[in-house]
Amino acid sequence: MEISVIVSLMGGLGLFLLGMKQMSDGLEKAAGAKMRSILEAVTTNRILGTLVGILFCAVIQSSSATTVMVVSFVNAGMMTLYQAAGVIMGANIGTTVTSQLVSFNLSAYAPVFLFIGVILTQFVKKDRVKKIGEVVLGFGVLFMGLSVMSGSMSSLKDSPQVAGMLGGLTNPILGVVMGTIITAIIQSSSVTVSIVLLMAQQGLLELPICFYIILGCNIGACMSAMLASLSGKKDAKRAALIHLFFNIIGTVIMYLVLTIAGGLVLDVILKISGGNPGRCVANAHTLFKICQVIVLLPFAKGIVRLTYLAVPGEERTEDSEYQLFYIGKTAMFSPTTAVIEAVMELEHMGALAYENLNRALDALIDLDQAKIDKVYAVEKQINFMNHAITDYLVKIGQMTLPIDDSKSIGALFHVVNDIERIGDHAENLADSARNRIAENISFSDAGLEELKEISTKVNKILEYSIDMFAHNTRKHMQDIITLENEIDEMERQFQKNHVERLTKNECTAASGMLFSDAISGFERVADHATNIAYALLEEAPEEEEE
């Protein structure tokens, strides 16, 4: 066997892998955000979840990417394990679309796809069209690689040594093991099945052994999700195990079917494939997956329970009080879910700041030292989250994200800053409470009522703003505008009332200073809340200087 044949085969494989990745990445960038919104909307209905999984994986052309995304959703608490089960099973069917495309042998059209892809990526300015161009270009590169590999394999079949070695490959268990190992290394069942398809077309592999290799590919495809789950929570590990258990159990079932009725299965597939070996491999891949889902979908809850046996116990809370809830300490994320995980973490940070602001006001009014101490402790947590989330945003900003998500990164940096400043205002109130205790400063009844009145309005605008930001909705827009104006007016009126009380000796200069600072602080919190609400909207107001 000439070295040139091996080099040509390696080059073809390299082009195929490059084309597959570029096509998958382009689809994920162009449609990832919209597909994610569909995935988020999936219900506990297993049938619906399966259909969504098929659609999603058929679009982004990668069961590994889909499953990693599902693991990220489960890790962030955005999807339950029972919801994940249906989506994962559906993704196993969706991934067979690639082999179906390959089986139609569109290599002759590869130059056309390459030309169109280059035109769209190089000469069109619109981002979304460029991403579509990347998909088309990847499609062309993929089939160009297939063409090179096919030509190399046609030379291989003339080699007696290669023909003898591959022709002697008849052991079913060895076929399953080969498929598992090769796919685990490549981390793409679509690539392995496509190579097997080409070898079958060239007569290098007999169809029966191809079927067993396909079964092994299904197990090997679980490697990406398993690796992604290692640094995640227990539910993330269980989600990855759903994928693994589904494919292991499904492989065992299909192995037994092939062992008992392999001849009948081969005859049926040959008949529906018109005797074309490549179509046989592609159709076998699809039919095996469909059969596995039909058999195992009713037992999805049982598979989920099995994962609890493999990963027992509840999530352990770490001793350190400084930790993130959704995105974790390590970079366990999918590019398609990275931004939404950051948004959820910011919502969590905002909730902490909201609670701390109210805790600080209670401490200022009640002069409760325990509450003051708690404010300072929570402020340390908020500061930690500020730095950790900022680092995370820097990291994901360097990744290739879906177009809609990449546009929101800058806004998220501002939201982190706004929430951190709200935390600072809570700390300022705690400082005032501490001064009241140390210097025995009293507030007038009118002053206390005004603090409570403005804090009620600020609480409401914060609730609306965090909800509007977290869910990217315009639902509370008019309420926020109204509240912002009311709070501005209240701040002016209460400052005026404060001056009048000072002139009437109804309060002291010391208490008046603390009151004035608190009222101004609440008005500033409302400004930050408004910034948060409009962060992801086009008509966001300009941020005021503090």
Side-chain angles (χ1 to χ4, degrees), residues 27 53 91 98 134 160 214 278 282 292 328 386 419 438 457 465 508 513 517:
L27 284 164
T98 304
E134 288 180 14
I214 289 172
Q292 288 173 1
N386 172 38
I419 295 175
K457 295 282 187 183
S465 297
T508 64
M513 185 177 297
D517 288 345

Side-chain angles (χ1 to χ4, degrees), residues 36 69 72-73 78 333-342 392 405:
R36 183 189 64 217
M69 192 180 306
S72 295
F73 269 68
M78 298 156 59
F333 52 73
S334 159
T336 308
T337 59
V339 166
I340 198 165
E341 288 167 7
Y392 181 81
D405 287 350

Side-chain angles (χ1 to χ4, degrees), residues 434-446:
R434 189 170 59 181
N435 289 338
R436 280 196 69 194
I437 294 173
E439 299 178 21
N440 195 24
I441 299 172
S442 61
F443 278 168
S444 66
D445 291 340

Side-chain angles (χ1 to χ4, degrees), residues 267-517:
D267 290 342
V268 171
I269 292 176
L270 277 169
K271 186 174 182 179
I272 64 176
S273 306
N276 184 311
R279 296 286 304 133
C280 282
V281 171
N283 288 333
H285 191 207
T286 301
L287 290 174
F288 289 174
K289 288 293 190 181
I290 292 174
C291 290
Q292 288 173 1
V293 171
I294 290 173
V295 172
L296 294 177
L297 187 59
F299 302 99
K301 289 185 178 179
I303 293 176
V304 172
R305 293 192 191 101
L306 190 60
T307 66
Y308 278 94
L309 294 177
V311 184
E314 297 297 323
E315 195 66 40
R316 186 176 67 87
T317 303
E318 298 186 21
D319 296 334
S320 173
E321 59 178 327
Y322 304 133
Q323 54 186 306
L324 299 179
F325 188 77
Y326 293 103
I327 59 182
K329 291 183 178 180
T330 55
M332 201 293 293
F333 52 73
S334 159
T336 308
T337 59
V339 166
I340 198 165
E341 288 167 7
V343 169
M344 293 182 70
E345 198 66 69
L346 284 168
E347 183 182 12
H348 177 217
M349 182 181 175
L352 286 178
Y354 171 88
E355 292 169 3
N356 218 33
L357 187 70
N358 283 280
R359 185 181 295 113
L361 178 63
D362 290 342
L364 180 63
I365 294 173
D366 301 336
L367 302 180
D368 187 328
Q369 185 60 49
K371 289 180 181 178
I372 294 173
D373 294 339
K374 181 66 174 177
V375 169
Y376 291 138
V378 174
E379 174 60 14
K380 290 180 181 178
Q381 165 75 359
I382 292 172
N383 287 336
F384 163 79
M385 294 180 75
N386 172 38
H387 294 297
I389 295 174
T390 299
D391 290 344
Y392 181 81
L393 291 175
V394 170
K395 190 177 296 181
I396 66 175
Q398 297 168 351
M399 298 174 62
T400 302
L401 301 171
I403 296 171
D404 294 339
D405 287 350
S406 62
K407 293 177 181 176
S408 66
I409 294 293
L412 297 183
F413 280 107
H414 290 296
V415 172
V416 178
N417 188 48
D418 282 310
I419 295 175
E420 193 275 333
R421 288 184 179 181
I422 291 172
D424 289 343
H425 287 296
E427 188 176 33
N428 292 340
L429 287 175
D431 290 341
S432 296
R434 189 170 59 181
N435 289 338
R436 280 196 69 194
I437 294 173
E439 299 178 21
N440 195 24
I441 299 172
S442 61
F443 278 168
S444 66
D445 291 340
L448 291 175
E449 285 303 314
E450 287 173 352
L451 282 173
K452 293 176 183 178
E453 188 177 345
I454 195 170
S455 71
T456 300
K457 295 282 187 183
V458 171
N459 279 339
K460 185 60 65 176
I461 197 172
L462 265 175
E463 289 174 12
Y464 286 156
S465 297
I466 293 173
D467 182 71
M468 192 167 161
F469 162 75
H471 300 99
N472 198 18
T473 175
R474 299 168 184 266
K475 178 181 175 182
H476 304 298
M477 185 184 298
Q478 189 54 53
D479 293 323
I480 289 172
I481 292 172
T482 302
L483 282 167
E484 168 70 5
N485 291 332
E486 289 176 355
I487 292 168
D488 286 345
E489 180 57 35
M490 289 175 76
E491 194 265 344
R492 285 191 290 268
Q493 184 59 49
F494 290 170
Q495 293 287 12
K496 184 178 178 181
N497 294 347
H498 153 64
V499 173
E500 291 179 358
R501 286 194 294 271
L502 275 176
T503 58
K504 295 178 181 178
N505 290 322
E506 293 177 2
C507 64
T508 64
S511 65
M513 185 177 297
L514 295 182
F515 174 85
S516 180
D517 288 345

